[in-house]
Amino acid sequence: MTYAEKLAARIGFETLDYDDEAHWACRGVPGDVCTRGYPMARVDTDGTEVPRTVELHANPPVDCFFIYPTMDWQPFFAANHSDFEELDLVKGDIDTQAGPFSAACRVFAPFYRQGNIGAYATDPENGVFYFRRAFADVAAAFEHYLRHWNAGRPVVIFGHSQGSMHATFLLHAYFDGNRVVTDIPGSASTAELRDRLVAAMPIGGLFFVEQGKRAGGSLQDIPLCAAHEETGCVITYRSYPEGFTHATPLVRGAAELLNEEGFSFAAFEPDRHAYACVNPAVGPAVPVDRVTDGRGMAVPPGDVRLLEGTWLVGLFGEIQFGVDGKPAPRDFPRRYTAACREDDLAGGYLAVGLHAPPGGDPRGDPMDIDGVVAHAALGLHLWDINLAQGDLVDQVRVKSAAWVEK
């Protein structure tokens, strides 16, 4: 039995049938949610808008397997989302967060019976029941992808929020350690799959490492990325405005219980582990005297870098730029900065500031990092991916080229 089959049998859960095309948003083919192209306006530092389109890669050398965040916002009871009749919201998220990566990779994105918001609000032991079932679907979808579409190709594992949690579980189950996990030739062992891992991007979750090290927490054998061209490594962060220091982790109890069932390498121990942050920015370093928080205050010293591609597009662009109820996509290069910082309550997180060049910047603060939403408990969580989307696409592009050449 494969890992997914064993998991489903152990928890008494029948996974979705991923032979059914209706259970996939993106299958790496023209005409699906992720292959429509992405017209937007680039808003330059002088305020000039220049039309542009994120062009799809004609023959991408790698695949991206994407797991979307919590899109079932029913707060009053815990459940697995099982209604696939109305998928506009889920498709909108996949279109927004994963689709632009078709500029660098073939994107595969399954639907799955995720835990709803109520699963986070319940007690950890009850919440684990729903997250365990959700991951069984994700594992079954991944094995279907391996069996029918991967054909030995290099792959990026990518998820946001709840999708980040499942991406981490997927990495541990199929890429970490040294075990046989499938019956697929060339993809049977974790070591074989790890050799084909271009990068992992569990974004907006609770990924952690041993203090002072690049691995040894959520994963054993897959380290944090230390260079733009490095492959087989992890880019991860949770984003908050500069100056906002209440980045308290959520649902840690459920994550620890899931670890006890084998879904991650280690359970989080405050004296031993730290939540990880890898800066996704590919832009140059910028002096801190040219960076402010959303309130115009100076930021502390650190390795602060410019974000080259803040793509406020689709679902998340609409929050800021709705025009007659329709999204107005915008790209704001070098408007925002990013720095990994430490929070006494939560460890590493990504602090997002405003670039303050001489003479100012007429573009204002389109992401509203001084807004009520940004300074609530989740910080910039809704924009974790979009604030650095152009940078992340570039990370995939550069790491893919490095993997192919090695």
Side-chain angles (χ1 to χ4, degrees), residues 29-97:
V29 296
D32 67 20
V33 172
C34 298
T35 56
R36 67 174 181 83
Y38 292 85
M40 66 175 75
R42 186 184 73 237
V43 187
D44 288 333
T45 54
D46 62 359
T48 302
E49 293 195 14
V50 181
R52 60 160 298 193
T53 298
V54 179
E55 300 290 349
L56 306 184
H57 197 300
N59 186 26
V62 306
D63 293 344
C64 290
F65 188 89
F66 176 71
I67 310 160
Y68 56 87
T70 306
M71 300 305 296
D72 184 335
W73 300 328
Q74 167 55 257
F76 300 113
F77 58 87
N80 286 99
H81 182 85
S82 58
D83 180 7
F84 294 106
E85 294 299 318
E86 177 51 64
L87 288 168
D88 286 351
L89 190 62
V90 175
K91 288 180 178 179
D93 175 82
I94 295 170
D95 170 71
T96 297
Q97 294 191 316

Side-chain angles (χ1 to χ4, degrees), residues 10 30 33 87 135 142 166-168 176 276 315 320 331 346 389:
R10 176 164 65 86
V33 172
L87 288 168
F135 180 62
F142 184 65
H166 295 309
T168 302
D176 206 24
L315 179 64
Q320 298 293 340
D331 169 17
Q389 195 158 29

Side-chain angles (χ1 to χ4, degrees), residues 19 49 57 65 81 137 148 150 154 165 169 205 207 259 264 307 317 331 346 353 364 378:
D19 282 326
E49 293 195 14
H57 197 300
F65 188 89
H81 182 85
D137 270 356
H148 295 281
N150 176 262
M165 176 174 69
F169 295 161
F207 192 94
N259 165 257
S264 58
L307 288 163
D331 169 17
L378 291 177

Side-chain angles (χ1 to χ4, degrees), residues 299-324:
V299 303
D303 181 16
V304 184
R305 311 193 75 82
L306 284 171
L307 288 163
E308 293 286 0
T310 297
W311 293 354
L312 298 181
V313 300
L315 179 64
F316 296 99
E318 187 171 351
I319 293 172
Q320 298 293 340
F321 299 106
V323 179
D324 296 328

Side-chain angles (χ1 to χ4, degrees), residues 1-5 65 138-148 170 174 181-184:
M1 296 176 71
T2 68
Y3 175 89
E5 292 168 341
F65 188 89
V138 171
F142 184 65
E143 289 189 7
H144 183 93
Y145 156 76
L146 287 177
R147 195 176 303 281
H148 295 281
L170 198 71
Y174 290 91
V181 289
T182 77
D183 58 359
I184 305 168

